[in-house]
Amino acid sequence: MSAAAAGWRVAAGGSVEGTLAVPGDKSISHRALMLGAIADGRTHISGFLAGEDCLATARALEALGVRLERPAETEVRVHGVGARGLAAPAAALDMGNAGTAMRLMMGLLAPQRFDSTLVGDESLMRRPMERVAVPLQMMGARIDTHAGRPPVHIHGTPHLRAIDYTLPVPSAQVKSAVLLAGLAAAGRTRITEPAPTRDHTERMLGAFGVELLHEGATIAMEGGQSLRGTEVRVPADFSSAAFFLVAGCLAADRPLRLSNVGINPTRTGLLELLHRMGADIRVQRRAAADEGGVRSILEPVADIEVRRSALRGITVPEALVPLAIDELPVLFVAAACARGETLVRGAHELRVKESDRLASMAAGLRALGVEHQLLADGLWIRGGDTVGGGAVDSCGDHRVAMAFAVAALRARGPIEIARVANVATSFPGFVATARAAGLEITPL
Ligand code: S3P
């Protein structure tokens, strides 16, 4: 069975244990492909996430004239074409379900000498692109959207100007798009973040030989710098590990271990939140020589061990929300199985992810009989030791589907989860990995 099944039935209860390797980091894999494409010389990527989202980026780059080789499932050789080497695509570029791919490509394509169009699946066609178009337009780019949403038409403008931009929402995708466009712009691009967001682009630009200056919450980068192809070792995706961190808290009677996981501090807000909830999670950082980024990328990596824990509800500090943004669906499951109340506010961004994740999670919690309240910018949940069984709709959202699979470990009856095919966007092999850990998942 593969993640392409229409739905899953997950048996109630059970336990998890063992040592798991989850696939490569999605954010880092997208960036390695894109930076490799516009670098001079070859880039070798290992630990690449061969999920649908990153494959959409790979196909788009091939349509732009970049030669990619796949010597193995998780290895890619990118033959960089240099800063001015991309070629006009013959058709619209289909980014599938991948918001990161579409938004970063906007930054990459805005300064080209040709026009291009970006489209995606039903979910992506509903997502806001104006947040990227606006700063790029300030740089002189010509970009049309359909009322702020895709299709995105880019009229290539080779002479962009650097800007000094304060992001209105904390978004690594917007930051990254402006940095990519800034590489081709005249002058010094400056970006200020309202709150820290994942910094993989900054770290990886450094690894490709680009100089960046950090001045507090501001990043500055001189345009016109060229990239040198390099070696990128992608660590396991913390966001995929997150499902098993919570699974372990709920049901690891013997330790559950996750190996080689990226623990970039701009990604690991969930660790802090689970610790506050009383989780028994031990993080063993790997030595530098072994790390996922070959020294210069400086992505810290760890082996993580988790054991069954008596979780307590918490009030999530808003400052941690951007650092745990993709992990909030599974945090809601942890909260549903914790003693006491959990409150998450300041998470309005969840409304514009692959689904409206506040609404999708609230509907699923309702189906499982979990007392909760849906707020404009968050969720309040009263936890119990267990949740009910029932049928939930993932709304085609990979992280919602995987979060409810984990909930089955503490359910009083089986949980049926509909529309799970998109799990393949970020975690191909989830079902096999979950079964290896001890979850009983069957296709519907
Ligand atoms: C991502 C940034 C985040 C995150 C997404 C991946 C990235 O989105 O939710 O899954 O790789 O830059 P925002 O930048 O919209 O917050």
Side-chain angles (χ1 to χ4, degrees):
M1 177 207 152
S2 77
W8 298 328
R9 182 176 197 272
V10 192
S15 62
V16 287
E17 65 174 86
T19 300
L20 309 177
V22 303
D25 187 280
K26 179 149 76 74
S27 294
I28 298 176
S29 296
H30 280 302
R31 286 158 170 82
L33 288 173
M34 290 187 201
L35 296 191
I38 57 165
D40 296 316
R42 277 203 268 169
T43 290
H44 179 256
I45 310 171
S46 56
F48 174 73
L49 171 64
E52 288 304 322
D53 276 14
C54 299
L55 295 176
T57 292
R59 282 191 290 270
L61 291 171
E62 285 177 325
L64 292 162
V66 180
R67 191 155 74 87
L68 303 177
E69 288 175 288
R70 285 277 291 288
E73 176 75 357
T74 59
E75 257 182 76
V76 186
R77 245 195 311 270
V78 187
H79 296 264
V81 296
R84 298 257 165 242
L86 296 179
L93 302 169
D94 185 353
M95 310 320 297
N97 192 242
T100 306
M102 184 172 285
R103 295 194 177 122
L104 270 59
M105 286 301 264
M106 288 170 70
L108 204 65
L109 292 170
Q112 301 300 326
R113 289 174 198 281
F114 52 80
D115 297 351
S116 47
T117 297
L118 297 167
V119 296
D121 72 2
E122 204 190 319
S123 149
L124 187 52
M125 294 303 272
R126 284 195 301 263
R127 297 183 63 188
M129 295 299 143
E130 207 58 20
R131 52 179 61 196
V132 181
V134 165
L136 296 179
Q137 284 158 347
M138 290 166 66
M139 299 174 86
R142 288 182 301 144
I143 296 177
D144 300 321
T145 60
H146 185 76
R149 296 181 160 71
V152 179
H153 298 289
I154 301 164
H155 309 279
T157 311
H159 302 291
L160 298 185
R161 301 175 297 276
I163 50 166
D164 187 338
Y165 190 62
T166 299
L167 298 179
V169 284
S171 166
Q173 294 175 353
V174 178
K175 171 176 67 175
S176 301
V178 174
L179 282 171
L180 288 172
L183 278 174
R188 175 176 289 220
T189 294
R190 297 177 86 247
I191 303 169
T192 304
E193 299 194 89
T197 65
R198 65 191 70 196
D199 63 359
H200 305 301
T201 304
E202 297 91 304
R203 288 175 189 250
M204 201 181 289
L205 280 170
F208 278 82
V210 172
E211 268 181 47
L212 288 164
L213 280 166
H214 295 267
E215 307 154 358
T218 301
I219 307 148
M221 184 191 70
E222 211 59 54
Q225 300 188 57
S226 51
L227 281 68
R228 277 190 317 274
T230 187
E231 172 88 23
V232 180
R233 278 200 264 157
V234 182
D237 199 323
F238 182 83
S239 298
S240 296
F243 300 103
F244 293 100
L245 293 180
V246 172
C249 290
L250 301 187
D253 293 325
R254 281 189 279 184
L256 182 67
R257 297 188 185 88
L258 293 148
S259 47
N260 191 40
V261 182
I263 50 157
N264 179 319
T266 59
R267 293 286 297 281
T268 52
L270 179 75
L271 275 182
E272 168 70 20
L273 296 173
L274 289 175
H275 276 140
R276 287 178 186 220
M277 294 174 82
D280 181 351
I281 298 179
R282 302 168 200 188
V283 177
Q284 179 74 49
R285 206 179 144 154
R286 286 199 177 181
D290 227 13
E291 281 183 359
V294 182
R295 279 192 307 279
S296 50
I297 295 183
L298 301 172
E299 288 285 355
V301 171
D303 298 318
I304 308 180
E305 200 171 273
V306 54
R307 289 169 171 78
R308 183 192 279 269
S309 320
L311 299 179
R312 304 178 289 275
I314 56 166
T315 295
V316 170
E318 287 197 21
L320 286 177
V321 166
L323 308 181
I325 192 72
D326 290 344
E327 291 66 65
L328 291 176
V330 79
L331 177 86
F332 297 146
V333 167
C337 302
R339 282 236 239 127
E341 300 169 30
T342 293
L343 178 64
V344 179
R345 303 293 308 262
H348 193 267
E349 277 296 299
L350 288 186
R351 297 233 177 237
V352 291
K353 295 295 180 189
E354 286 82 329
S355 71
D356 175 342
R357 285 184 176 156
L358 292 177
S360 314
M361 289 303 300
L365 292 173
R366 187 176 322 119
L368 303 182
V370 177
E371 194 186 339
H372 68 282
Q373 205 178 332
L374 176 58
L375 311 168
D377 64 344
L379 268 181
W380 170 88
I381 295 169
R382 188 194 301 284
D385 208 41
T386 59
V387 300
V392 303
D393 183 359
S394 75
C395 302
D397 187 321
H398 54 134
R399 300 203 197 281
V400 174
M402 291 185 275
F404 282 115
V406 169
L409 289 166
R410 285 283 187 90
R412 298 182 292 276
I415 298 183
E416 291 189 356
I417 307 164
R419 291 200 276 166
V420 299
N422 279 338
V423 167
T425 61
S426 68
F427 201 152
F430 171 77
V431 169
T433 305
R435 282 177 172 168
L439 279 146
E440 272 181 57
I441 306 189
T442 45
L444 277 179

